[in-house]
Amino acid sequence: MGMLEREMRRLAKQAGGSHKTVHDRIALAQRFCERLVMAQNIQIRRVEHLKARHIEGYVRERLAQGRSLQNEMAAVRCILRQAGRAKLADGDRISNRALGLAGASRNGTRRAIPPEYYRQALETARTKDAGLAAAMELARLMGLRSQEAVQSAQSLKTWKQALERGESRLTVVFGTKGGRPRETVILDAGVIKKALDTALAVAENHHDRLIDKPDLKSAMKYWHSQASGLGLTGAYSPHSLRYAWAQDAIRYYLAQGFSGKEALAMTAMDLGHGDGRGRYVAQVYGRKAGAD
């Protein structure tokens, strides 16, 4: 790890925020430093030496990869301000408008994974790693984020007991954004029970884990690398499993007699957003789901 990366990681942590926000900001700092060296061959040792042209070059490269960069630039500016470089962070040269990021759609580049695409990826995963496949299946059936899916082994028994009691919702505790537990609706109890039974059997042989790695960092790295190998990348990244679940949830609530606005609000809460983010869910997750 170079001096610049070490300093940026420290500043990213000092800037505060939820555990998930800090974790993502640190990952951004690492990637930013790696791309400076690998793509631009720039050798910088301190944040105080960073210039606008370095950031512009990074943004150009990431945009060429089809990335959505508003969140990344927010993290970069946060780190710069923490380093006492507010003039650069808030300057016109690296504003979203100057970098070509202003007015970008919040729809993002991902889509709900199509059923056949998902089935093919899942079957391939089952031939390679039963634990990976089990985590993927739970992500699709419960709308789990990647980190929630990777850490789901800690809740398998609790979820199964909740199903056996006939409860209508499951509580997601580990890997949630900001460390805030959330409840998610059970769309198909029979299918989820079968998936949980499979996952429990796998975990028993994987040191009570689905992704059999010694720590969360290595487990997440394995999850993303293997998912990419399965074709879960770009528009159909692992997050597309959550998109597909959200559309199922919207249709479920509509079928229960909820209005379109109510269905979106309920789905927003299931996903771990507030009920006031129904419009965001419709825009980002719920397109083509049938809700107004």
Side-chain angles (χ1 to χ4, degrees):
M1 186 189 302
M3 289 183 64
L4 177 64
E5 182 180 339
R6 189 177 297 110
E7 183 183 9
M8 289 192 71
R9 289 168 66 97
R10 175 177 57 79
L11 292 166
K13 186 174 183 179
Q14 289 177 347
S18 71
H19 176 78
K20 181 70 164 55
T21 297
V22 172
H23 177 273
D24 290 348
R25 194 184 295 137
I26 290 173
L28 175 279
Q30 179 180 348
R31 180 169 59 241
F32 178 82
C33 294
E34 288 174 350
R35 301 317 300 171
L36 281 185
V37 176
M38 294 174 61
Q40 302 185 57
N41 195 28
I42 294 170
Q43 305 291 334
I44 294 176
R45 298 171 67 86
R46 299 293 304 276
V47 174
E48 64 184 280
H49 299 146
L50 273 174
K51 299 184 182 302
R53 59 184 172 84
H54 301 143
I55 298 169
E56 290 168 341
Y58 173 80
V59 169
R60 282 195 299 272
E61 183 204 2
R62 295 287 285 165
L63 285 175
Q65 297 171 347
R67 304 295 182 177
S68 180
L69 293 180
Q70 287 83 359
N71 289 344
E72 290 199 19
M73 280 309 302
V76 169
R77 294 187 188 100
C78 179
I79 291 171
L80 289 171
R81 293 188 193 100
Q82 188 67 25
R85 303 209 56 195
K87 186 175 180 180
L88 174 59
D90 301 325
D92 292 338
R93 191 164 169 183
I94 66 167
S95 68
N96 280 355
R97 183 175 300 279
L99 295 172
L101 308 179
S105 171
R106 300 249 2 223
N107 291 347
T109 58
R110 300 184 182 93
R111 298 290 183 269
I113 191 168
E116 186 57 33
Y117 197 107
Y118 164 69
R119 281 193 292 269
Q120 290 178 0
L122 184 62
E123 287 304 315
T124 303
R126 283 172 174 160
T127 65
K128 292 184 174 182
D129 184 332
L132 175 69
M136 278 179 54
E137 190 169 22
L138 290 173
R140 175 62 184 87
L141 294 175
M142 295 176 58
L144 303 180
R145 296 182 176 92
S146 289
Q147 197 171 136
E148 292 170 348
V150 169
Q151 296 193 67
S152 62
Q154 300 174 80
S155 297
L156 296 176
K157 293 180 181 178
T158 302
W159 291 339
K160 185 177 179 180
Q161 290 168 359
L163 282 174
E164 291 171 346
R165 291 194 299 269
E167 295 184 11
S168 62
R169 312 185 74 79
L170 299 176
T171 302
V172 183
V173 175
F174 299 100
T176 57
K177 191 170 184 179
R180 298 182 295 272
R182 64 185 180 86
E183 290 192 343
T184 184
V185 68
I186 298 169
L187 299 181
D188 190 323
V191 172
I192 292 178
K193 182 180 183 301
K194 185 177 178 180
L196 287 175
D197 287 340
T198 299
L200 281 164
V202 171
E204 287 180 4
N205 296 317
H206 280 188
H207 306 98
D208 293 324
R209 295 186 287 255
L210 294 181
I211 306 299
D212 195 8
K213 297 294 178 181
D215 53 58
L216 179 59
K217 182 177 180 180
S218 58
M220 292 303 300
K221 184 176 181 179
Y222 178 83
W223 164 270
H224 286 298
S225 65
Q226 293 300 308
S228 179
L230 294 169
L232 297 183
T233 184
Y236 299 138
S237 74
H239 210 62
S240 68
L241 303 172
R242 184 166 150 92
Y243 278 47
W245 181 90
Q247 294 191 2
D248 288 346
I250 294 169
R251 284 189 286 265
Y252 169 85
Y253 284 121
L254 290 173
Q256 297 296 311
F258 289 93
S259 69
K261 187 173 182 180
E262 289 169 333
L264 291 170
M266 296 290 285
T267 302
M269 290 188 289
D270 286 327
L271 291 166
H273 304 301
D275 60 357
R277 300 201 74 189
R279 182 178 178 183
Y280 169 80
V281 168
Q283 182 180 4
V284 176
Y285 291 90
R287 284 171 292 167
K288 300 180 182 179
D292 295 327

